[in-house]
Amino acid sequence: EGGVVFTADPLLKRTSGVVYDEAQVLQLLGAVKAPLHLIRGATGLTLDDAVMQARMAALKHPKVTTIDGGHHVHLDRPKEVAEVVRQHVEGG
């Protein structure tokens, strides 16, 4: 009472029923037509450099912003992420 309670959704720990191989991932990314702005956490999860480069190329080299934070950078730095999203939506 009057304290803090931590909760989590157990479904976040489940393995997805949808698994793509890398060729399928690249095909999906290459089909994206909308302008993209990738927001990365400075200490978030990383991919092998070659994989990341191939994915970025498939996305036609979106604008990238790195914000101090981890995998859930939108939770670590919500104001900074919101500002990047706002600017992207407004075309800035």
Side-chain angles (χ1 to χ4, degrees):
E1 187 173 317
V4 176
V5 176
F6 291 97
T7 63
D9 184 346
L11 293 177
L12 290 173
K13 295 182 179 183
R14 291 183 63 195
T15 302
S16 172
V18 179
V19 179
Y20 298 108
D21 63 33
E22 193 59 23
Q24 291 171 314
V25 170
L26 293 174
Q27 186 174 14
L28 287 168
L29 294 177
V32 174
K33 303 269 190 266
L36 296 173
H37 192 136
L38 174 66
I39 302 171
R40 300 181 70 179
T43 58
L45 300 175
T46 59
L47 296 173
D48 175 86
D49 285 344
V51 171
M52 190 63 172
Q53 288 174 1
R55 289 182 179 190
M56 294 297 283
L59 287 169
K60 291 135 186 104
H61 302 284
K63 185 172 182 179
V64 178
T65 298
T66 301
I67 296 176
D68 187 30
H71 176 68
H72 296 289
V73 69
H74 59 293
L75 299 175
D76 297 334
R77 301 278 194 249
K79 289 181 184 178
E80 291 92 332
V81 170
E83 180 58 22
V84 172
V85 172
R86 184 192 64 76
Q87 289 177 14
H88 176 74
V89 170
E90 291 179 356

